[in-house]
Amino acid sequence: MSRYDSMFEVLAERGEGAFIPFTVLGDPDPDGSLDVIGWLVESGADALELGVPFSDPVADGPVIQAASSRALAAGTTPRVCLDLVDQVRRTNPDIPIGLLMYANPVLAHGMDAFYADAAEAGVDSVLIADVPVAEVAPFAEAANRHGVEPVLIAPIDAADRTLREVVAWGKGYTYVLGRAGVTGDANRASLAHDALLGRLHALGAPPPVVGFGIGSPDQVRQALRAGAAGVIAGTAIVRRISDHHEVVEFVTSMKAATRP
Amino acid sequence: MKLSTRFGEYGGVFVPEILVPALEQLETAFVEAQNDSHFRSELDDLLATYAGRPTPLYRCRNLGAETSATMWLKREDLLHGGAHKTNQVLAQALLAKRLGKTRLIAETGAGQHGVATAMAGALLGLETVIYMGSKDIERQQPNVFRMELLGAKVETVDAGAATLKEAINAAMRDWAASYPTTHYLLGTVAGPHPFPTIVREFQSVIGTEARAQFVDAVGALPDVVLACVGGGSNAIGVWSAFLDDEQVQLVGVEAAGHGLHTEHHGATLERGRPGVLHGAYTYVLQDDEGQIAEAHSVSAGLDYPGVGPEHAYLLESGRASYVGVDDQAALAAAEALAQAEGIIPALESAHAVAHALELARACTEPRTMLINLSGRGDKDLETMMRHR
Ligand SMILES: Cc1ncc(COP(=O)(O)O)c(C=O)c1O
């Protein structure tokens, strides 16, 4: 059973949703990001979503763009990212770890080699922000060859045809977009996704996890009530990484909101 | 998607899933408009009475006169707005109207595409926002003021090298949230499908006219057709009519900036590798890790580390070849054309002129060269003054 499957199973038994924090690998620098990841885990993260910094993050708002720039300036290459994951994996054998990245670094590494190296570092899933389901086949096939789960995005207004494809190719979990736009928490999640969550359940999609614009415990409760299996918070984490105490307090409160 | 999204293996739709429906909708509107005589006639009318088509084909009287070559200029510099950009901007703006969109967004480097979009926004009553890097804002001041005078809002983009690449990033981010009401009017044959196909179609008027004009004047086809290549729209436009004429050599001229041996150039097809940038699988200037490199060129319109996917295909198929012309040579060619013919070209177009002159000097027998003079140099006067 995959780490995501075990996590969702255990959480379901407890009647809990998953809280999945996102941070950018190498932000503010490689060692600093290991500290941040440690804080996320100690304060109750059920899984980790880790960004691989890219020079042109078109799906990201200003906060995560700035984080990517900091990480790149600190010398965070994809190779460094995989080394960081490897270190996290050593002390956390069971936590699901997903990468969130862009297509070009995967291609530059060599598609097959990238998934092989990611698997070896202990990565469970890879979501590529600029690879929609229409282009995913070669990426997903390479991922599958190496036991990495390709995660796909279900936008709130997705056509049936798109959703069926997302379900056919996606593994691990389904990333449900809480709203249109780029990452950021200023424009709050619309949370008008009850219908989408229902459609995903009906199609037998991997567990739906809501991301984009999630920044408060209320939103967590709302998303779970609507049928989500978990939530991802990114910008709200990245904003706080300079302060250990704030990160712990935020993650603890978000995790608490996933409990019945 | 209904149309092919690729040119050989290049192209595709590498965008966040959220934007795919917007691209599908645009493709549908494009296909329908192509078969709608009302759309065609409205566009043709605007091209003729508003933009000034057909543009002339001019045989240089003095430039290269000491060589055995004859140079012909397709005068897109005389088009309303001052560059070829207007051709396809009018078409896309009509598509936006057709889709019921009320707002246009666009990126701009040299400011020519921004100016053309601002013109179309004013003409068709669409709110217009232009994203432009702060470095380009500084070096293309007259065009910034022109856009504002036309009623557009110019949004400054400060990230990275603050040039065309970052302006496209910013426009794509805007569109991911605004697509229900907004059309992203991309300015070249780059980006995700269907943009390379749409822009190509609506720039092909350059080649269709030029080929007929040339045959009419000379009674034969040109030996070489040259164009500068930033994203690649004026080149695809003028080449479109010659692709099947295999005896006609197609030469694209990229920005060699400080030189192809340096890291400061925009020679994507000569120095880049296949990768994904701004929605397409194409040639990209990048480092070993896949981070996109910053380009450099004295001309803002060629200062871009990507290129339209059809050019990647034309390069690999061998149908077109690509060369670099550096900043100094482009500046010198602009001056040479100004003094030989009384025509001040845009610095982008001056790259094509520079390489044509080089070819002409090497000619040992009569050859005819058709150069797409993609734009006029008014916007570059300050840069030319500074470098003189
Ligand atoms: C006059 C002129 N020529 C050429 C270009 C380069 O674009 P493309 O390669 O798409 O023709 C620009 C772009 O700004 C331009 O303003």
Side-chain angles (χ1 to χ4, degrees):
Chain A
M1 200 191 284
S2 80
R3 290 192 184 92
Y4 283 108
D5 288 346
S6 325
M7 170 190 78
F8 285 119
E9 193 175 284
V10 169
L11 289 173
E13 276 165 19
R14 294 196 216 129
E16 284 179 27
F19 177 64
I20 309 180
F22 165 91
T23 192
V24 175
L25 288 160
D27 177 30
D29 53 49
D31 285 344
S33 71
L34 276 184
D35 291 340
V36 173
I37 291 166
W39 307 339
L40 298 175
V41 173
E42 86 191 22
S43 39
D46 294 303
L48 295 167
E49 188 71 7
L50 303 174
V52 176
F54 180 52
S55 53
D56 295 82
V58 292
D60 287 304
V63 172
I64 294 177
Q65 284 172 49
S68 297
S69 300
R70 283 191 298 269
L72 289 173
T76 312
T77 62
R79 173 49 48 218
V80 169
C81 290
L82 294 180
D83 288 345
L84 292 171
V85 170
D86 188 58
Q87 292 182 58
V88 174
R89 177 55 76 210
R90 273 170 214 203
T91 44
N92 302 277
D94 300 324
I95 197 165
I97 298 178
L99 295 183
L100 205 166
M101 59 190 304
Y102 289 84
N104 204 50
V106 175
L107 298 178
H109 197 100
M111 198 185 297
D112 209 65
F114 179 80
Y115 285 102
D117 292 349
E120 195 178 314
V123 168
D124 295 292
S125 70
V126 175
L127 193 177
I128 307 178
D130 53 350
V131 176
V133 72
E135 300 287 354
V136 85
F139 293 86
E141 282 160 5
N144 289 334
R145 274 198 294 281
H146 298 285
V148 173
E149 306 196 277
V151 169
L152 287 173
I153 287 194
I156 196 122
D157 49 2
D160 278 336
R161 173 173 48 84
T162 308
L163 276 197
R164 274 193 300 273
E165 290 274 294
V166 164
V167 171
W169 287 104
K171 288 188 178 165
Y173 67 93
T174 307
Y175 196 122
V176 175
L177 280 195
R179 57 160 169 74
V182 294
T183 56
D185 55 5
N187 173 2
R188 285 298 167 96
S190 70
L191 297 173
H193 35 50
D194 302 37
L196 174 61
L197 291 167
R199 288 159 73 201
L200 286 168
H201 279 300
L203 289 167
V209 172
V210 177
F212 271 45
I214 299 285
S216 76
D218 267 351
Q219 291 176 305
V220 176
R221 281 186 282 268
Q222 237 180 308
L224 297 181
R225 248 198 322 272
V231 295
I232 294 181
T235 299
I237 302 281
V238 173
R239 272 184 201 292
R240 291 173 168 85
I241 61 157
S242 57
D243 188 327
H244 178 192
H245 179 72
E246 269 198 51
V247 170
V248 170
E249 193 174 58
F250 177 72
V251 174
T252 307
S253 70
M254 295 293 272
K255 178 57 205 168
T258 69
R259 300 196 175 101
Chain B
M1 297 286 176
K2 298 178 192 68
L3 304 172
S4 166
T5 69
R6 306 257 170 177
F7 301 89
E9 64 179 311
Y10 297 102
V13 193
F14 291 90
V15 295
E17 194 75 60
I18 188 94
L19 281 175
V20 172
L23 294 169
E24 284 175 343
Q25 182 195 43
L26 177 59
E27 189 200 53
T28 302
F30 168 65
V31 171
E32 287 171 4
Q34 290 292 89
N35 299 316
D36 177 349
S37 59
H38 180 72
F39 178 88
R40 280 299 339 173
S41 65
E42 186 174 12
L43 177 58
D44 289 345
D45 181 55
L46 282 178
L47 288 173
T49 63
Y50 180 78
R53 295 217 78 87
T55 59
L57 179 72
Y58 168 72
R59 184 180 60 82
C60 289
R61 300 183 172 213
N62 306 305
L63 190 75
E66 73 286 4
T67 72
S68 54
T70 318
M71 314 243 228
W72 295 78
L73 305 178
K74 179 60 175 164
R75 298 290 309 275
E76 294 301 295
D77 61 314
L78 293 177
L79 197 67
H80 178 44
H84 69 292
K85 302 285 180 186
T86 305
N87 296 323
Q88 73 95 11
V89 163
L90 289 173
Q92 277 200 56
L94 289 177
L95 285 180
K97 275 289 229 197
R98 198 180 168 94
L99 286 167
K101 309 273 161 134
T102 55
R103 178 171 173 265
L104 299 176
I105 55 172
E107 80 294 342
T108 198
Q112 289 303 133
H113 176 58
V115 165
T117 306
M119 283 164 17
L123 176 70
L124 300 177
L126 298 162
E127 182 194 345
T128 305
V129 175
I130 308 294
Y131 289 95
M132 189 169 188
S134 48
K135 180 175 171 194
D136 291 339
I137 287 185
E138 204 183 292
R139 58 179 162 171
Q140 308 278 223
Q141 266 301 318
N143 273 346
V144 176
F145 182 64
R146 246 174 229 133
M147 289 183 262
E148 287 171 350
L149 202 58
L150 290 161
K153 182 154 187 278
V154 179
E155 288 277 2
T156 309
V157 183
D158 275 322
T163 57
L164 185 55
K165 168 167 82 84
E166 285 74 25
I168 296 179
N169 291 345
M172 287 180 78
R173 289 181 186 120
D174 180 317
W175 207 34
S178 64
Y179 61 87
T181 61
T182 297
H183 176 64
Y184 177 17
L185 208 161
L186 203 117
T188 186
V189 289
H193 175 79
F195 286 111
T197 296
I198 291 182
V199 176
R200 167 199 222 274
E201 171 62 27
F202 293 124
Q203 287 294 7
S204 67
V205 63
I206 305 173
T208 307
E209 278 177 17
R211 191 177 186 283
Q213 289 167 322
F214 196 95
V215 169
D216 211 35
V218 181
L221 290 172
D223 294 312
V224 194
V225 182
L226 297 108
C228 66
V229 176
S233 66
N234 87 87
I236 290 289
V238 72
W239 290 350
S240 60
F242 298 98
L243 283 174
D244 294 335
D245 303 319
E246 281 182 18
Q247 71 276 30
V248 178
Q249 202 187 331
L250 307 177
V251 181
V253 185
E254 296 190 299
H258 294 167
L260 291 183
H261 58 286
T262 70
E263 288 182 351
H264 306 285
H265 57 71
T268 308
L269 291 158
E270 294 158 274
R271 291 289 180 272
R273 288 184 280 125
V276 168
L277 176 64
H278 293 147
Y281 180 59
T282 183
Y283 274 58
V284 180
L285 293 175
Q286 54 183 308
D287 70 13
D288 290 343
E289 310 283 349
Q291 308 296 349
I292 310 303
E294 301 296 351
H296 165 84
S297 171
V298 69
S299 75
L302 305 185
D303 197 344
Y304 180 54
V307 66
E310 188 171 2
H311 285 288
Y313 172 67
L314 292 173
L315 171 74
E316 291 199 354
S317 70
R319 180 64 191 95
S321 58
Y322 298 85
V323 298
V325 158
D326 69 20
D327 289 352
Q328 290 312 319
L331 287 158
E335 195 161 327
L337 181 62
Q339 294 180 5
E341 307 291 341
I343 297 170
I344 303 174
L347 283 179
E348 290 79 13
S349 326
H351 284 72
V353 174
H355 186 66
L357 273 171
E358 203 179 307
L359 288 182
R361 290 193 193 105
C363 275
T364 51
E365 55 196 74
R367 281 189 102 193
T368 51
M369 299 190 193
L370 168 59
I371 305 162
N372 193 20
L373 203 69
S374 56
R376 67 179 182 222
D378 305 41
K379 69 189 177 59
D380 295 316
L381 295 184
E382 214 185 293
T383 307
M384 295 188 204
M385 245 184 306
R386 231 178 322 111
H387 283 87
R388 204 148 188 247

